[in-house]
Structure formats: structure tokens, C-alpha cells
Amino acid sequence: MTTSAPTVAPASTPSPQGTGSALDRYFRISERGSTVAREVRGGFATFFAMAYIIVLNPIILGSAKDMYGHQLDGGQLVTATVLTAALTTLLMGVIGNVPIALAAGLGVNTVVALQLAPRMSWPDAMGMVVLAGVVVMLLVATGLRERVMNAVPLGLRKGIAIGIGLFIMLIGLVDSGFVSRIPDAAHTTVPLQLGGNGHLLGWPVLVFVAGVLLTLALLIRKVPGAILISIVVMTVAAVAIQLVADLPGQAWGLTVPQWPGNPVAAPDFGLVGQVSLFGGFSKVGLLTGLLFVFTVLLSCFFDAMGTILGVADEAKLNDAEGNLPGINKVLIVDGLAVAAGGATSSSANTCFVESTAGVGEGARTGLASVVTGALFAVALFLTPLATMVPSQAATPALVAVGFLILAGSVKDIDWSDFTIAVPAFLAMLMMPFTYSITNGIGIGFIAFTVLRLAAGRGREVPAAMYVVSAVFVFYYAMPALGLT
């Protein structure tokens, strides 16, 4: 999806003072070797590359129930998703002045939907997301964010990223009906099966399979906006199938693909502000609650740092040492985005690697993000179009995103060093196998610490890793100690 970017002057290149328009001077457009036309074009490219989140985030969050059996409304989720993406992306453009867009993060929304919500109410779960955002901002303000990130070895970070990618892919396979859970009554040790009865049957599954193949084919062809194009094409196909075959609603799951009577509607802000900051701790206890916040924090933490530096490098904004000048402003906005996602019940928002699509079109400044944010704002009034997309048309994106995460991370793991390779391996597999990102992180951290000690390399383990590993050991020992 990313094209080669033209060579431009780095961000540190001085520019003549007092030249150009106020817009040019504020965003430093000429200084960075760009033009207003390139920025606008880049803003459009980024929006269309990541607009799939408008559909996917409501499907992931809307398919889950909290401990009381409550589900979030699909239309309200679309509004919350789009609103938060618009506001946080605009802030990134105006404050951070980088061509990076933000929206609800894939991975962290699964943590919220599948780990937090089933143990508490939705407002409680979103409150923990807000707390994670506050912690991110405190870490930035104290200068600890980069130090904490550096405490976790690169290989283990990549293993965690791959685990999240595999977890996302499994969710896509399950939500589409391509695989399903075998009921316990079957008395079998096999937990999953192909389709609903060991076979792939029905039009909805065919839509999913065709969507996966189309998405991957477009990605291989490096078609800009490949994921969004696939969602649109397969949604049209699903609507046509439903119109001709008139399938029962349950065949599609949550959303029956039908053209809305009116594709334009006023946004529904019913989920905004539905937050309980500390209610979740009364449901799960202090330690488990803190670990949940820590899991949300990690899910946002490493993904955002890698994306920020990667996009900035692609845009030639990093200095000679590979650092992004003014990165603290960018990190503060990222922390605000995490908290804002909780405050609107859209889950934590984070920086999107799809921003490289805009960079490939020439974007070099925050003006591109302003354009992307404005397009998200327009999408606020198109909720009916988003809520007609069935999961079978949207979940192929999860399979594709899972692959892209794996492909971009697996090569950075040193497989010859078992003290890194084994923890990374355990982290990436435990997430999908236990259906828990927390378990993957915890087991990976513990394995890294133990193996480094066993190899006589305990001095190479940062103090923070010892502390966090000890917390996870205690967390897993709590049931045996009668503390849960």
C-alpha cells in the first residue's frame, strides 16, 4: 500500500524566514520540501487507506458483551469511532505537525472487548482505557516513556506485535464464521473447527473467502486503499446476495447487508462520556485491574512508538541520529488519543501505519493530518452506510492486517538467541491460543527474565523487566493463593 516517497529535505533543514503564506510557515510546508497540493493529496490517501476502521471497530466492540450481557449500539459505535479519529487526527496535525493519522487501534480494541468487558461493565472497561491514556501522558511528561520502551528488548516487542496480529486474524476467522468453537458437549479436545460443522457452507462464508483473496491480491498489487476497496466490493456483493437469496438474518450474524433507506443521518453521540474511571477495580480487584490497565498501555505503547518513528523515517523527518525532532508533542497527542478513545467508548486511539499511504503521495507536514481529520468529520454523517457492512465483508481486513504485522516484525527477531527467540515465540502463540493478549505479554516477560538468568545474563535484564515479571508471576499465582 505504500509507494516510494520522493526525496525531500529533512525536517531539520533551515528555511528562509518570513517567506510564504501563514499556512506555509505554520506547517513548515516549503521547509520540508512539500506543497499544499501534496499535503491535501496525502491527507486523502491516508483517509482512504484507513477508513476501514469505521466499519471494523464497531464490529469488534459491538460483538462483545459485558458482564451484565450488555452490547454497545452499532450506530453509536460508528459515531464514537469517527468522532475520536477526527478530533485526534486534527490535534496531531495542528500540535504535532506530522502526517500521522489516528483512530481506534486494532489489537487494543480486542483487549477491551474480550478481556475487560466480560469482567466488568462497558463504562468500567472504557474507564481503564482512559486511565491508560493518563499514564501514557505522565510517562511522556516525565521522560519515562522512551526509557520504559527501551527496557523491553526489540525481539520481545516484535513477538508481542506478531501475537497481536495472530490474535486479530483469529478473531476475523471466528467472527466471519470461517472457523467456529466446538461446543463442550462434543467431548472433544479439538477447540475449533472449520465452518459451523466441519465444512464451509453458505453464501456469507463465500463472501468472507472471496474478501480475503481480493484483499491479499490488491495488497500484492500495491493498490492504494486495498483494504477499503475490498470492504466496499464485498459489501456490494453481500447486498446483492441478500437481495436475491433473501437469507435469514442470523445467517450473516450481527449485520444483515441491506441498503439503508437514507445513507445520510445525524450522528448519535449516546456513548460519549459513558465512563466509570475506577468502577472496574471493584469488579476484578486492584492487582488485576492494574494489569488490565498495563495491558492496554502496552498494546498502545509499542505500536505507537514504532509507527511514529517508522512514518517519520519514511517522510524523511528524522534527524541524523534517527530521532524525530519535537517527538514529545507527538507522544502527548498519542496519549490524549488513548484517553479520548476511552471517553467516547471507541477504545484507545493510536497512530496508524496506513499514514505511510499519505507520505507516499508526498505528505510531509501536519496539514495532511488536518485534511484526514476533516474527512473523518464528514464521515460522521454517513453512519447508515457503515452499519450495513456485514462482518463477512469487513473481517478479511483482520486477516490481512494480521499478516502485515507478522511480515513486518518476524524478521527483526534474533532466532539464534534463544533467550529472545523463545520468549517472543511464547508471547506470539499464547495470545491466540489463550485468547488473551495479557497472557501473551505476561508469559513472554517471565520467560525472558528466567532464561536470561539461566544463561548467566541476568545483568542484561533491565530492572523494570524484573519488576513487571514479578507482578505477572504473582498475578498467575493469585488463584492458588486464594486471592481471586
Side-chain angles (χ1 to χ4, degrees), residues 14 17 33 92 129 151 187 203 215-216 235 267 339 373 385 392-393 402 474:
Q17 299 298 313
M92 184 62 81
V129 175
H187 300 295
W203 286 105
T215 304
L216 295 176
T235 298
L385 291 179
Q392 290 81 3
F474 182 67

Side-chain angles (χ1 to χ4, degrees), residues 173-174 176-183 191-202 205-206 208-209:
L173 295 175
V174 172
S176 67
F178 189 84
V179 299
S180 63
R181 180 175 180 271
I182 298 177
L192 296 174
Q193 63 185 355
L194 188 68
N197 57 0
H199 304 281
L200 296 178
L201 299 173
V205 174
L206 179 60
F208 170 76
V209 173

Side-chain angles (χ1 to χ4, degrees), residues 162 402-411:
I162 293 171
F403 164 75
L404 292 173
I405 292 174
L406 186 149
S409 299
V410 70
K411 64 181 181 298

Side-chain angles (χ1 to χ4, degrees), residues 162-471:
I162 293 171
I164 292 174
L166 294 175
F167 190 26
I168 288 172
M169 184 187 72
L170 179 59
I171 290 169
L173 295 175
V174 172
D175 286 353
S176 67
F178 189 84
V179 299
S180 63
R181 180 175 180 271
I182 298 177
D184 293 337
H187 300 295
T188 175
T189 57
V190 180
L192 296 174
Q193 63 185 355
L194 188 68
N197 57 0
H199 304 281
L200 296 178
L201 299 173
W203 286 105
V205 174
L206 179 60
V207 169
F208 170 76
V209 173
V212 170
L213 295 175
L214 176 61
T215 304
L216 295 176
L218 292 173
L219 287 172
I220 289 172
R221 301 284 299 179
K222 301 188 185 306
V223 176
I227 291 175
L228 179 63
I229 291 172
S230 174
I231 290 175
V232 171
V233 170
M234 298 320 300
T235 298
V236 172
V239 170
I241 290 170
Q242 180 61 26
L243 185 63
V244 174
D246 192 24
L247 301 176
Q250 62 266 28
W252 295 98
L254 290 174
T255 305
V256 180
Q258 295 175 329
W259 182 259
N262 186 357
V264 179
D268 186 343
F269 299 100
L271 289 177
V272 177
Q274 299 298 310
V275 177
S276 172
L277 277 182
F278 302 103
F281 291 95
S282 65
K283 307 291 196 311
V284 300
L286 179 61
L287 179 59
T288 300
L290 289 175
L291 282 173
F292 278 162
V293 173
F294 180 67
T295 299
V296 173
L297 176 67
L298 280 184
S299 298
C300 304
F301 199 92
F302 299 118
D303 182 62
M305 284 293 290
T307 299
I308 290 167
L309 295 177
V311 174
D313 184 66
E314 181 84 3
K316 304 294 189 288
L317 300 180
N318 292 339
D319 59 22
E321 286 73 39
N323 300 316
L324 174 63
I327 191 173
N328 276 346
K329 291 181 180 179
V330 177
L331 295 177
I332 282 290
V333 175
D334 178 65
L336 282 169
V338 175
T344 60
S345 296
S346 65
S347 180
N349 278 224
T350 188
C351 301
F352 262 53
V353 73
E354 283 81 358
S355 301
T356 54
V359 171
E361 293 293 335
R364 296 294 180 270
T365 76
L367 180 58
S369 295
V370 171
V371 172
T372 303
L375 291 172
F376 271 113
V378 172
L380 273 173
F381 301 93
L382 301 175
T383 297
L385 291 179
T387 54
M388 67 177 280
V389 180
S391 60
Q392 290 81 3
T395 48
L398 297 180
V399 177
V401 170
F403 164 75
L404 292 173
I405 292 174
L406 186 149
S409 299
V410 70
K411 64 181 181 298
D412 294 322
I413 299 174
D414 183 1
W415 296 101
S416 65
D417 182 353
F418 283 12
T419 66
I420 284 289
V422 172
F425 173 76
L426 292 174
M428 68 177 70
L429 291 187
M430 287 303 104
M431 290 185 193
F433 286 171
T434 66
Y435 226 64
S436 167
I437 290 176
T438 303
N439 286 338
I441 293 173
I443 292 171
F445 278 24
I446 293 171
F448 171 75
T449 303
V450 170
L451 291 179
R452 277 287 163 96
L453 286 171
R457 299 167 61 184
R459 292 183 179 180
E460 299 176 17
V461 180
M465 287 294 291
Y466 281 115
V467 173
V468 176
S469 297
V471 170

Side-chain angles (χ1 to χ4, degrees), residues 137-159:
M137 287 184 281
L138 289 175
L139 289 173
V140 175
T142 57
L144 291 175
R145 182 169 183 177
E146 292 182 68
R147 294 183 188 177
V148 172
M149 181 178 176
N150 292 336
V152 183
L154 175 63
L156 186 52
R157 276 183 260 160
K158 296 298 183 178

